[in-house]
Amino acid sequence: MEFDIWWLLGIPLFFSLGWIAARVDIRQLISESRSLPRGYFKGLNFLLNDQHDKAIDAFIEIVKLDPETVELHFALGNLFRRRGETERAIRVHQNLLSRPDLPLDQQTQAMFELGQDYLKAGLLDRAEETFNQLVAGQYAIQARRALLEIYQREKEWARAIEAAYALQESGAGGRQKEIAQFYCEMAQDELVHTHPDAALAMLEKALAADRHNVRAAILMGDVHLANGEVEKALLAWRRVEQQSVPHVALVAQRLMDGYRKLDRPQEGLNLLKGYLAEASSIDLLEVVFKATLELDTVDAANQLVSDELRRTPTLLGLDKLLDARLMVAPPEVRPELSLVKNLVHGYAQKLARYQCSHCGFKARQFYWQCPGCSRWETYPPRRTEELNVMN
C-alpha cells in the first residue's frame, strides 16, 4: 500500500518535470528560429511551392550576407544543377571544397555533389575522376552507380562490366541483366569487325551471366549465319522460344530466311505457324502472312489473317486483313476497299510502336536499351495496341 501511495505522489512531479523540459525546448527552438535570416524562410517557402528561380534569388542574398552558411551553399548548388545551370553549380561546390575549415564529411558531400554537376554537364572525364575518389567512403554505392552510367555513355563495355560486378559486391542488388547486355554490345562490335570467334566468346559469357538473355541467342545465330553455318544459326534462333515465346517475333524473319537458304521453306512456315498459335503477334503474323502467300494460296493467307483477327482484334490486324481482301476483291470493289485500307493503314501506323514499360518512350523499332531512360530490356516485344488488347 505504501508503494502505491509513493507512485501517486510521484505522478505530479513527473508531469511538472516534463512541462519544464517542454518549455525549455520551445524557448530554444524560438531562439534558433529568430537567429535565422528572414530570407531563409522566404527561400524555403519558394521551394515548397516549386518556385525554384525565386528560391535561388533568396538563397543567393543570404549567402552574400553570410558566406559561412554551408548548408545553403549545398541547397543553392543543387538548385542550380536541377535548373540546368551546371557552371554555377560547379562554382558553388568548388568554392565549398576550397575552404580549409570545412569538416571531412562536408568535404565528401561537396565532392559528391561536384561529381553530379560534372555528370549533368557532360564532363565525363572529370566526373569519372571525382567519383573514383569516392568509391571507398560513405558515397561508395552512389559513386559506383554514377561510374556505371559514365561507362555506358562512353560505351566502354569492359569497364561497365567491372563497375556492375563491383556494385553487386557492394550489396546494391543484382546486375546480371545489364552485364549480359554489356557482353552483347561487345559481341556486336566484334561481329561488325568480322571477328566471329571473339563474338561467340562474348555471347557465351552473356548467357553465363543471364541464360534468359534473348539478345545473346539472336546474335549467336547471326554469328553462325555470317560463318555460313545456317543449321547452327537456326538452332540458336529457335532457342529464343525456350527463353521467351513473345520474343520469337524478333527472329521470325531470320528463321524464314534461314529455312529458305536450306530449301526447306515449308518447314519454316509450319514452325512459325506453330509459334503464332502459341503467342499472337502482329509482327509474327506479318512474316507468316507473306510466307503463306508465297508457298500457299491467297485464300489460305486470307483465312490466316481472318482467324488471327478474330482471336486478337486489333487495328493492325484489320490493316493486314484488308491487304488480303484487296488481293481477291473484284475490280469494281477495289477502289472503295483501297480507300478504306488507306484510312485504316494511316491510323494503324500510329499504333505500330514499341513502348518502354518504365518511362513510356515510344519507338518504331525495337530497342534493347531505351533511348529515353537508358534502362535495359524494358521494351516488350509487342506493339502498343497489342498490349492494350491483351490487358
Side-chain angles (χ1 to χ4, degrees), residues 320-337:
K320 191 54 55 188
L321 180 64
L322 290 171
D323 269 339
R325 289 285 190 267
L326 272 169
M327 293 177 186
V328 295
E332 64 273 13
V333 179
R334 284 180 187 172
E336 290 184 2
L337 195 58

Side-chain angles (χ1 to χ4, degrees), residues 255-279:
L255 283 165
M256 199 64 229
D257 291 343
Y259 279 105
R260 282 195 188 97
K261 285 180 181 294
L262 297 175
D263 293 325
R264 289 151 45 193
Q266 190 61 52
E267 185 180 339
L269 177 57
N270 293 340
L271 177 69
L272 295 183
K273 281 183 177 179
Y275 290 154
L276 186 62
E278 192 173 352

Side-chain angles (χ1 to χ4, degrees), residues 88-224:
R88 299 179 77 181
I90 288 169
R91 283 201 300 271
V92 168
H93 293 128
Q94 284 179 335
N95 181 54
L96 279 173
L97 281 171
S98 68
R99 290 171 53 167
D101 61 329
L102 200 66
L104 181 59
D105 61 331
Q106 290 183 331
Q107 284 182 23
T108 307
Q109 184 182 352
M111 185 175 288
F112 176 72
E113 297 296 344
L114 183 61
Q116 298 263 62
D117 298 337
Y118 288 144
L119 190 58
K120 182 73 178 286
L123 303 172
L124 301 185
D125 289 345
R126 292 186 186 180
E128 181 184 351
E129 182 182 349
T130 304
F131 287 124
N132 270 323
Q133 296 178 58
L134 297 169
V135 294
Q138 65 186 96
Y139 289 97
I141 291 178
Q142 296 96 316
R144 291 188 189 282
R145 284 198 185 108
L147 286 170
L148 181 58
E149 181 182 342
I150 290 167
Y151 297 142
Q152 289 183 75
R153 282 203 210 175
E154 294 179 333
K155 300 189 183 301
E156 294 188 26
W157 304 117
R159 300 183 76 182
I161 290 169
E162 290 178 10
Y165 276 123
L167 259 177
Q168 279 192 166
E169 291 168 5
S170 63
R175 296 279 169 171
Q176 296 304 114
K177 183 189 295 184
E178 289 94 333
I179 289 168
Q181 288 292 344
F182 300 155
Y183 277 122
C184 285
E185 289 288 342
M186 295 172 74
Q188 198 149 4
D189 289 342
E190 297 291 356
L191 186 56
V192 167
H193 293 96
T194 61
H195 300 148
D197 292 340
L200 285 174
M202 293 300 169
L203 293 171
E204 292 289 353
K205 289 180 179 180
L207 289 170
D210 178 14
R211 63 189 180 87
H212 297 292
N213 189 280
V214 172
R215 186 185 182 189
I218 295 174
L219 285 173
M220 196 167 280
D222 292 347
V223 174
H224 287 310

Side-chain angles (χ1 to χ4, degrees), residues 11 46 74 146 243 245-246 252 361:
I11 289 173
F46 287 136
F74 280 126
Q243 297 171 313
V245 173
F361 188 93

Side-chain angles (χ1 to χ4, degrees), residues 230-254:
V230 182
E231 287 282 9
K232 285 186 177 181
L234 291 174
L235 285 173
W237 292 328
R238 291 185 64 171
R239 181 177 181 172
V240 172
E241 181 200 6
Q242 301 164 16
Q243 297 171 313
S244 170
V245 173
H247 281 86
V248 167
L250 301 178
V251 292
Q253 192 61 59
R254 287 177 170 89

Side-chain angles (χ1 to χ4, degrees), residues 38-51:
R38 187 180 175 187
Y40 176 83
F41 295 103
K42 285 175 63 180
L44 188 60
N45 186 53
F46 287 136
L47 268 184
L48 292 173
N49 291 311
D50 287 331
Q51 295 175 285

